[in-house]
Amino acid sequence: MIEQTLVLVKPDGVARGLVGEVISRFENRGLKIVALKMVKIDTDFSKKHYAAHVDKDFYAGLENFIVSGPVIAMIVEGVDAIENVRKLCGATESKSALPGTIRGDYSHVSYSHADEKGMAIKNIIHASGDKEDAEKEVSLWFSVDELHGYSRSGEEHVF
Ligand code: UDP
Ligand code: MG
C-alpha cells in the first residue's frame, strides 16, 4: 500500500551536515520525497508533535533538543513507507541501532548516558511510528498545497 510518512532530520543531523546523506538513503531505496522544508519549531509546536511524550521523564530534554536549531521536515512516500522508513532509521536508542541504519551509522549514545546528562538521545532523525501518527504528523507539519506529486525517472524499475 502506498503510504506517506513524516521524517525530520533533527537539529543534530542538520548541524552535522547529514541532511544530504539522510535524503539519499530514502531516494536510493526508491522512496519519493513529496514535500520538504527547513523549520525552527518552538516549544508549543514541540508539545503538539510529541504529544504522546509530554508527560514522560525524558520530555524536558527532548523539547530542549528539538527546539535547539532548525530541522528539515519532509514527507516520504512509497509502498509501506511508514515501516520501510522506520527500518532505515534503526532503533531509537543509538547504542542499540544496527550498523547500516541511519542511527546505527551516525550515532552511538545509550539511554543511560542521555539520562545521566538530562538530555535527549541525539539520534539524527524522526520518523512517524505508525499509520495513525503518520496521518497526524503529516497534517501537523504540512498544508495540502505543500505536497507535490511527480514522476521520478526510472520509476518503472521500482514499482
Ligand atoms: N528519547 C530519549 N530518551 C528516551 C526515549 C526517547 O531521549 O528514553 C528521545 C529520542 O530522541 C527519541 C525521541 O525522544 O527519538 C522520541 O521517542 P520515541 O520513543 O517516540 O522514539 P522514536 O519514535 O523517535 O524512535
Ligand atoms: Mg516515536
Side-chain angles (χ1 to χ4, degrees), residues 17-131:
L18 295 174
V19 174
E21 174 61 34
V22 169
I23 290 175
S24 289
R25 291 192 179 218
F26 300 130
E27 289 185 326
N28 292 344
R29 196 92 199 265
L31 293 155
K32 191 186 284 185
I33 313 297
V34 296
L36 186 141
K37 61 186 172 185
M38 179 176 269
V39 193
K40 189 163 186 300
I41 66 165
D42 61 17
T43 55
D44 286 346
F45 195 89
S46 172
K47 288 181 181 76
K48 286 184 192 156
H49 174 69
Y50 281 127
H53 296 323
V54 168
D55 296 326
K56 296 188 181 154
D57 288 344
F58 64 82
Y59 181 75
L62 177 58
E63 185 179 272
N64 282 338
F65 171 45
I66 203 70
V67 306
S68 67
V71 303
I72 296 292
M74 59 189 135
I75 300 175
V76 177
E77 184 181 274
V79 175
D80 297 324
I82 299 164
E83 185 185 341
N84 265 308
V85 166
R86 287 288 292 195
K87 268 193 203 147
L88 287 172
C89 292
T92 303
E93 184 189 35
S94 299
K95 179 192 161 190
S96 305
L98 293 176
T101 65
I102 293 165
R103 287 165 169 170
D105 284 349
Y106 292 102
S107 60
H108 76 279
V109 161
S110 64
Y111 282 136
S112 62
H113 175 85
D115 289 348
E116 233 168 71
K117 293 185 87 178
M119 286 169 33
I121 296 217
K122 293 177 179 158
N123 55 4
I124 320 282
I125 189 159
H126 165 85
S128 305
D130 57 30
K131 208 167 177 52

